[in-house]
Amino acid sequence: MLYSIFIKNFGIIDQLRIDFQDGFNVLTGETGAGKSIIIDALQIALGGRPSAEQIRTGSGKALIQVTFDISGIKGLASTLKEAGLDDTEDSMMVMSREITRAGKNICRINEQAVSLAYYRKIGGSLADMHMQPELNSLFSQEKQRQLLDRFAGDGALAALSEVNLLYKRWREARNCFEKLDAEAGDRARRIDTLCYQIEDIRQANLTPGEDAELEDEKKYLANAERISMLAAEAYALLYEGKGGQVSALDLLARAADNLRNLVALDRRNEPLLATLENILYQAEDAARELAGYRDGLDFSPSRLEAVEERLEQIKKLKRKYGGSIPEIISYLEAAQSELAVLENLDQSLEKTSQDIESALAEYNQAAGILSATRRKAARALEDAVKQELLFLEMGRVDFKVSFSELEGPTPGGLERIEFMISTNPGEPLKPLAKIASGGELTRIMLALKALLADTDDVPVLVFDEADTGIGGRALQAVAEKMLQLGRSHQVICVTHSAQVASLGRAHYKIAKEYEGDRTVTRAKLLNPGERLQELARMLDGSEVTDITLRHVRQMMRLSSEK
């Protein structure tokens, strides 16, 4: 149920709040008072497209806020969770749109910003808007199919869900086959390329870390002469002496002898002697290792050439297959996997073809069940719609549901569904879009809404002058049908008809007032006396007579008995 709407700086509305009632609500007022502006605001509050031109002159932004009781609305909790919204413990939910002249429109639900897509999805589950231009949605064959499926009930909706699931499985199998088939046309060339690449990498026999080791070896080999000189000189300075200079070991040995003599005289230097003797032993070890290193040096020009060739080979492989040896190995593994698939492509194509046939058989079986359910429901819908239209003063109308086979699977089944109508006896049945006038469309839509009232989860129905083009007994029937819908839904109707307004359980008058040089719109819930005057105005204009008032009192008395 829609509890209230709050509108600020929208159109000619500076600030307006309407608290709606349960059941059938009517909004009346003079032409141009702002009734349709309120409906436009409600449409935007539910996710419609706003325009900066709708912002009140002199204001930088507009705000529209609606408050709903969402208890008992199926599927809404999961949508709210999907959108990252917290559950509303008191069943109340507030939706708001802020429209700015810069084009930035903020959507909020319970003061939490949400994406427009989720905002629209949630709004669409709360209210159905029915305006004369939008009644054209009945012309859509997709809309007509949805209406038939809803009328058919849970069995049809479950079958439709199964058909949709099987269609996706069939479509995935088809996409896989088409991809494999496209690969088959280029298979020979691709296999040749992969075989060359695999062999190119295999022959290299790469080892992770090999390139780093080779770079170190290259540096060693390229600096052979300097390495030999440094090793020899270090050994000479440490062990042999050089240029008449005593070796480091000889000097250390002399120092150790002197310390021993010192210790004999002063034992406090024993730790220092121990340290020096340790250094002497380490220096001797270092001299031996240096001698071994010097004697083992092997500088082969041919080895340097081999190392450089190997590094160049690795560099070329990196340019072709990856920036490092692990990446090259990974490329090799991927190429081997792809080659295996291509070499077994015929088997894959055959298996995928079998998957397509299997999925199609399952789809056709489920779609056949759905078709049978629809055809049975269609006969019942035809009879029920004609019965409803009889009540709505369209008793000579013939209504049929047409089925035509589609060429292949679709998410919605194997048939195209179209509502056919003949508004005059003797005329052939034609598509709804080619026959029905605005007034006829309103009555057909009301008939369908009445038939779907028990299965329709959308709690609020909004009509903006949907009774345009209807008069006499037909108008009275439309009014009574809206009242009937108000027993299972909340109905909000903008009308210029006293017949429709008289049946409303809550009557709001929308009036335009002038404050200085500004025009503002006001809304008032009428009490019985005010309602009497408004209905009289709707019947006779500004000249309200006693006859008019007696007529209105009679209308109100009859209304209370409905």
Side-chain angles (χ1 to χ4, degrees):
M1 172 182 169
L2 174 61
Y3 267 115
S4 66
I5 181 169
F6 173 79
I7 307 168
K8 185 176 182 180
N9 296 328
F10 185 81
I12 61 171
I13 299 173
D14 61 341
Q15 188 164 303
L16 176 70
R17 177 188 172 97
I18 304 177
D19 296 316
F20 292 103
Q21 309 294 312
D22 197 6
F24 187 20
N25 298 255
V26 294
L27 279 67
T28 65
E30 297 282 3
T31 300
K35 301 183 298 299
S36 291
I37 293 175
I38 294 169
I39 299 302
D40 289 343
L42 177 57
Q43 193 172 28
I44 289 170
L46 294 169
R49 186 186 298 276
S51 166
E53 295 175 357
Q54 293 170 304
I55 299 173
R56 183 174 169 83
T57 302
S59 300
K61 62 183 179 180
L63 175 67
I64 307 165
Q65 184 173 287
V66 286
T67 304
F68 282 90
D69 177 359
I70 60 172
S71 56
I73 302 178
K74 294 178 183 177
L76 185 58
S78 61
T79 305
L80 291 172
K81 187 176 180 181
E82 224 176 272
L85 296 166
D86 298 330
D87 290 336
T88 52
E89 295 179 1
D90 58 358
S91 299
M92 300 295 288
M93 188 176 76
V94 179
M95 301 179 70
S96 65
R97 292 288 295 277
E98 189 177 281
I99 310 162
T100 67
R101 294 195 181 277
K104 185 178 181 182
N105 303 310
I106 303 170
C107 306
R108 289 190 177 90
I109 294 179
N110 290 345
E111 300 185 351
Q112 184 174 335
V114 296
S115 71
L116 180 58
Y118 274 117
Y119 189 90
R120 281 178 174 159
K121 185 176 181 181
I122 292 165
S125 66
L126 296 174
D128 270 347
M129 308 288 290
H130 300 286
M131 284 77 89
Q132 284 283 357
E134 279 153 9
L135 290 173
N136 293 338
S137 66
L138 278 177
F139 295 157
S140 161
Q141 292 176 2
E142 176 66 15
K143 179 70 171 178
Q144 293 171 9
R145 180 188 66 74
Q146 291 172 1
L147 288 168
L148 175 61
D149 287 342
R150 281 171 54 197
F151 179 78
D154 292 342
L157 295 175
L160 176 63
S161 179
E162 179 71 9
V163 164
N164 190 267
L165 182 67
L166 292 169
Y167 171 81
K168 289 178 181 176
R169 189 181 303 167
W170 171 80
R171 186 69 256 177
E172 286 169 3
R174 278 287 302 270
N175 290 341
C176 181
F177 182 87
E178 288 167 5
K179 181 181 178 183
L180 290 172
D181 192 45
E183 290 173 352
D186 199 31
R187 180 171 58 165
R189 186 187 64 79
R190 184 60 179 160
I191 286 176
D192 285 345
T193 300
L194 289 170
C195 286
Y196 167 78
Q197 292 174 339
I198 290 168
E199 189 59 25
D200 192 25
I201 298 172
R202 275 180 177 167
Q203 283 183 350
N205 195 25
L206 297 171
T207 303
E210 177 187 1
D211 48 350
E213 293 175 4
L214 288 170
E215 288 291 351
D216 289 342
E217 187 178 359
K218 177 185 174 182
K219 185 188 293 185
Y220 166 78
L221 293 169
N223 293 281
E225 184 176 343
R226 179 165 173 75
I227 289 171
S228 178
M229 179 195 72
L230 290 171
E233 186 172 351
Y235 178 76
L237 289 170
L238 188 60
Y239 191 78
E240 295 175 341
K242 184 179 179 184
Q245 183 179 348
V246 180
S247 70
L249 279 172
D250 286 341
L251 292 172
L252 285 170
R254 289 180 192 175
D257 286 341
N258 285 334
L259 269 176
R260 289 188 192 96
N261 292 331
L262 180 60
V263 167
L265 299 173
D266 185 355
R267 298 182 64 83
R268 287 179 298 176
N269 290 300
E270 283 182 346
L272 183 58
L273 175 61
T275 299
L276 185 57
E277 286 176 338
N278 188 46
I279 291 171
L280 179 60
Y281 300 146
Q282 288 179 349
E284 288 174 344
D285 289 341
R288 281 193 294 273
E289 287 183 25
L290 263 175
Y293 173 77
R294 180 198 60 189
D295 296 340
L297 288 174
D298 181 17
F299 301 110
S300 169
S302 60
R303 176 57 186 164
L304 177 59
E305 185 178 347
V307 167
E308 289 176 337
E309 287 178 358
R310 179 63 171 171
L311 284 170
E312 183 61 28
Q313 181 186 20
I314 294 172
K315 187 177 180 181
K316 287 179 180 178
L317 291 173
K318 286 180 179 178
R319 282 198 299 266
K320 290 193 283 186
Y321 308 117
S324 65
I325 289 178
E327 288 179 17
I328 295 170
I329 293 171
S330 178
Y331 185 94
L332 171 64
E333 292 169 351
Q336 288 170 329
S337 297
E338 186 181 351
L339 181 62
V341 170
L342 290 174
E343 288 176 339
N344 294 284
L345 192 57
D346 290 337
Q347 294 91 322
S348 297
L349 279 167
E350 184 178 349
K351 181 184 180 304
T352 307
S353 179
Q354 291 171 356
D355 291 343
I356 292 172
E357 290 179 11
S358 173
L360 184 58
E362 289 185 56
Y363 172 88
N364 285 332
Q365 183 178 3
I369 294 171
L370 176 60
S371 294
T373 305
R374 282 173 172 168
R375 289 178 187 276
K376 182 179 178 181
R379 305 291 80 84
L381 180 64
E382 290 167 356
D383 293 340
V385 167
K386 283 188 275 191
Q387 192 64 35
E388 289 288 336
L389 291 177
L390 177 63
F391 175 81
L392 291 166
E393 298 298 326
M394 291 178 70
R396 300 175 72 83
V397 167
D398 192 13
F399 176 84
K400 295 287 183 186
V401 180
S402 168
F403 289 77
S404 54
E405 269 192 53
L406 296 170
E407 293 182 0
T410 72
L414 287 171
E415 59 271 329
R416 180 183 292 108
I417 292 165
E418 189 166 25
F419 292 170
M420 308 290 286
I421 191 169
S422 170
T423 54
N424 297 298
E427 290 184 358
L429 289 160
K430 291 184 180 179
L432 195 62
K434 295 183 178 179
I435 295 293
S437 66
E440 288 167 336
L441 272 178
T442 296
R443 283 179 279 174
I444 292 168
M445 182 273 300
L446 281 171
L448 291 167
K449 280 291 178 184
L451 292 171
L452 295 169
D454 291 339
T455 60
D456 195 349
D457 294 330
V458 179
V460 183
L461 303 178
V462 182
F463 299 93
D464 183 19
E465 301 184 13
D467 48 22
T468 301
I470 306 172
R473 288 183 300 173
L475 183 58
Q476 182 63 30
V478 166
E480 290 178 10
K481 188 58 66 176
M482 287 187 181
L483 178 62
Q484 178 189 334
L485 284 171
R487 295 188 180 109
S488 56
H489 296 69
Q490 182 187 36
V491 176
I492 298 169
C493 178
V494 171
T495 182
H496 285 286
S497 165
Q499 285 171 277
V500 173
S502 69
L503 292 180
R505 292 302 178 246
H507 188 158
Y508 301 84
K509 181 178 179 180
I510 311 302
K512 189 162 56 176
E513 299 176 0
Y514 300 96
E515 295 181 353
D517 59 350
R518 299 304 300 272
T519 304
V520 295
T521 293
R522 298 283 183 256
K524 179 176 175 56
L525 177 62
L526 302 180
N527 61 37
E530 292 166 333
R531 193 174 184 199
L532 176 69
Q533 292 297 320
E534 174 64 5
L535 290 172
R537 179 200 65 78
M538 295 174 74
L539 279 176
D540 276 355
S542 58
E543 296 295 329
V544 177
T545 66
D546 290 340
I547 295 173
T548 304
L549 291 172
R550 282 199 299 271
H551 184 191
V552 171
R553 287 189 184 97
Q554 177 72 3
M555 289 173 64
M556 292 176 68
R557 184 182 66 79
L558 293 173
S559 168
S560 65
E561 296 173 359
K562 297 289 184 183

